[in-house]
Amino acid sequence: MTARVPAKVNLQLAVGPPRADGYHDLVTVFHAVSLFDEVTVRPAERTKVVVTGADAGSVPAGRTNLAARAAVALAKAAGTGRRGKSAVLIEIRKRIPVAAGLAGGSADAAAALVACNELWGAGASPRELRAVAADIGSDVPFALLGGTAVGQGRGEQLTPALVTGVYHWVLAFGVGGLSTPEVYAACDRLRAARAAGAANAATAAPRRLAEAPAAPRSPAEAAAAARRSAAAAAASGSPAGAHSAVNPAIAAAARPDQAETAAVQPPQLSTALMAALRSGDPVAVGAQLANDLQPAAVSLRPQLRQALTAGRQHGALGAIVSGSGPTCAFLAADAAHARDLAVAVTGAGVCRAVVAVRGPVGGATILAGEPT
Ligand code: C5P
């Protein structure tokens, strides 16, 4: 039994502060694109994974593979394991690059779920499959659903989005992958550093004011100010003229502009992006692409800056790092523009490989005939 499953890009990825469980609350707009893995499952003595195709060597082939974990989890949820027929040979034909920000591993897990459900006649409903999928990984439910959808929570709570038209993309693959947990951790670090910088700037401003008090209007006022300063210094044990520490929270409150920039806001859906997607206008969509993980991915892989610039210089309507990277996604005006853009980005020599794809496409589906 064979299932085909698409890669995804995130048209918006808004990341909230870290949660107690180590995950981050997200608001994201997933978009499935026409770059597919295929997964075949067959009854076997014991569960095993064989991987062929792009990056096959870097995919774990044991039971830690997400597709194998998905098969085991479905067998448990559907009770198939108890009937002693749940072991499967899982063959994954990879076209989606590994650790690329395209949810390739999650895609394989979703394909394994639908293929095993069919092979075993387990009869799990889409809702039951989604529940098993969410336990395997945050992006797995979307790989089942496909299309374009808003993800919330860890990304596993999905609402299909209203989208007009077909969007043409160029995907530029980086050399090697990026670890998703490392990119989220780098995002937290960058934000903490920015918050510390803003707090310092906010404390410095009242200090500067304290250092330069308003000029006394009369000699009597000057004498009174000197007495107040000496008394305050004596009370605090500091030499006269030293400044008492400014409470950063109070200082930040005094400068709401900086305090707001520093605090990580709860993630918000971009209504401008949703309106653009409804309108079907790729120019409008391109202008609204946004990824909070992009600065972190670029900090870990500075070459991404050149790739993004190359895409923009060659006329991309929008240029963005996909998910946690390092793939860059460039939006084109139409299929012909995507082909030209793919050639131009390839010529720029800033990435490992380039493909032109379209979206949205459906989620994991059983292939009727033989695998391609
Ligand atoms: O859910 P999944 O296993 O795909 O997530 C991989 C890693 O990505 C998590 O262990 C976590 O470090 C990070 N992550 C996160 N917040 C999310 C999704 C993933 O921090 N919403």
Side-chain angles (χ1 to χ4, degrees), residues 13 15 18-19 21-26 66 69 106 134-140 152-156 179-182 184-185 188:
L13 181 47
V15 178
R19 310 193 312 200
D21 64 1
Y23 284 89
H24 296 70
D25 271 326
L26 305 180
L66 288 187
R69 284 178 43 200
S106 301
D135 279 346
I136 303 297
S138 309
D139 293 341
V140 185
Q152 286 171 283
R154 285 185 291 128
E156 85 286 15
S179 143
T180 303
E182 281 174 24
Y184 273 98
D188 292 339

Side-chain angles (χ1 to χ4, degrees), residues 8 50 54 80 111 152 158 186 198 250 261 265 311 328 336:
K8 63 84 190 160
V50 175
T80 322
Q152 286 171 283
L158 298 172
I250 295 170
T261 347
Q265 301 295 312
C328 292

Side-chain angles (χ1 to χ4, degrees), residues 94-156:
K94 285 217 72 69
R95 294 201 188 98
I96 308 173
V98 175
L102 298 167
S106 301
D108 300 340
L113 284 179
V114 298
C116 287
N117 195 32
E118 198 71 17
L119 178 74
W120 298 330
S125 67
R127 190 196 171 94
E128 288 164 334
L129 287 179
R130 274 202 301 277
V132 177
D135 279 346
I136 303 297
S138 309
D139 293 341
V140 185
F142 176 71
L144 286 174
L145 182 69
T148 305
V150 177
Q152 286 171 283
R154 285 185 291 128
E156 85 286 15

